[in-house]
Amino acid sequence: EAGVVQSPRYKIIEKKQPVAFWCNPISGHNTLYWYLQNLGQGPELLIRYENEEAVDDSQLPKDRFSAERLKGVDSTLKIQPAELGDSAVYLCASSQNPGEQFFGPGTRLTVL
Amino acid sequence: QKEVEQNSGPLSVPEGAIASLNCTYSDRGSQSFFWYRQYSGKSPELIMFIYSNGDKEDGRFTAQLNKASQYVSLLIRDSQPSDSATYLCAVSSEYGNKLVFGAGTILRVKS
């Protein structure tokens, strides 16, 4: 069974530039999560989808971050414009059963 | 006060010893508790979950939960160098739908 796929794995951009991350969850997993993880910290939830619906986006900085999950499968997380403080690892996870989340390899973002 | 607290470590144990990792949480409404392992440069992977007070064993791993003390722990018996990683405690008040992670404890198993 293929795991959660994320791309790109690494991204370096200048501040104020836009950036987008893509995630393909495990087949059959209706729940998709986007997390942010800073060095030395645990993952922090940005947004959770149940199929196409964003059911928890309370931690998503909506002034610069946006996300979508068209057709309830793949998802894209976008930052526009990026700030220096956005440098982190962005993790996508999916689950079929609550709590049993499977994480993708993450995208390491560096904002210069 | 952080919602989920863990000692950052590193916790160093000799090979073959028992490693004890601890976690406390602030939300008394928390219902489910998870331990994830994260190797350096990798993503977290679920190793244990526990919902009820008491112990839950899975191979060399035992999760312990005490809701009255708001305390959850992970014991790793016969620790191996391959167990060296960061262990993340995660807590949910929504049956796992919304996980709040601790910062993790770094475990080092020395051969």
Side-chain angles (χ1 to χ4, degrees), chain A:
Chain A
E1 178 183 81
V4 177
V5 178
Q6 289 188 248
S7 69
R9 293 294 310 279
Y10 305 91
K11 189 73 176 179
I12 300 174
I13 60 171
E14 299 280 339
K15 63 180 180 182
K16 300 185 181 180
Q17 294 298 306
V19 64
F21 315 123
W22 175 80
C23 172
N24 180 249
I26 293 172
S27 178
H29 284 194
N30 295 328
T31 309
L32 183 146
Y33 312 79
W34 282 103
Y35 288 90
L36 176 156
Q37 186 173 26
N38 287 304
L39 188 64
Q41 300 297 315
E44 299 172 32
L45 181 68
L46 291 172
I47 189 168
R48 171 169 67 97
Y49 281 94
E50 294 289 347
N51 298 305
E52 302 91 350
E53 183 181 2
V55 296
D56 185 353
D57 62 356
S58 58
Q59 301 302 312
L60 189 73
K62 298 180 183 63
D63 57 336
R64 298 184 300 108
F65 286 65
S66 64
E68 61 181 9
R69 190 183 184 195
L70 301 177
K71 300 182 180 179
V73 182
D74 295 2
S75 178
T76 302
L77 178 69
K78 298 178 181 179
I79 308 174
Q80 182 171 12
E83 297 179 352
L84 295 176
D86 295 331
S87 295
V89 176
Y90 291 82
L91 295 164
C92 178
S94 69
S95 70
Q96 194 170 43
N97 301 312
E100 298 178 50
Q101 298 181 21
F102 294 84
F103 284 82
T107 297
R108 184 176 298 275
L109 174 66
T110 301
V111 182
L112 302 176

Side-chain angles (χ1 to χ4, degrees), chain B:
Chain B
Q1 182 187 8
K2 292 185 179 179
E3 294 182 57
V4 179
E5 298 219 34
Q6 298 181 254
N7 188 318
S8 61
L11 172 66
S12 293
V13 299
E15 184 175 357
I18 295 175
S20 178
L21 305 163
N22 306 315
C23 171
T24 58
Y25 59 94
S26 60
D27 183 0
R28 285 196 171 272
S30 299
Q31 297 163 334
S32 46
F33 307 85
F34 305 84
W35 284 99
Y36 282 78
R37 177 177 62 200
Q38 187 170 26
Y39 292 112
S40 181
K42 302 296 185 182
S43 55
E45 57 178 327
L46 179 66
I47 53 173
M48 289 283 291
F49 58 87
I50 186 167
Y51 300 147
S52 304
N53 277 329
D55 295 359
K56 180 181 179 182
E57 186 175 317
D58 184 0
R60 296 187 296 113
F61 299 96
T62 298
Q64 299 176 318
L65 175 62
N66 184 325
K67 289 185 179 180
S69 299
Q70 296 176 243
Y71 176 91
V72 59
S73 65
L74 179 70
L75 301 179
I76 306 175
R77 290 182 299 281
D78 187 24
S79 295
Q80 301 297 310
S82 58
D83 294 326
S84 297
T86 297
Y87 288 80
L88 299 164
C89 173
V91 174
S92 175
S93 59
E94 298 181 24
Y95 294 107
N97 279 324
K98 183 169 184 175
L99 295 182
V100 178
F101 284 85
T105 297
I106 297 171
L107 173 66
R108 293 179 180 160
V109 181
K110 298 182 177 180
S111 57

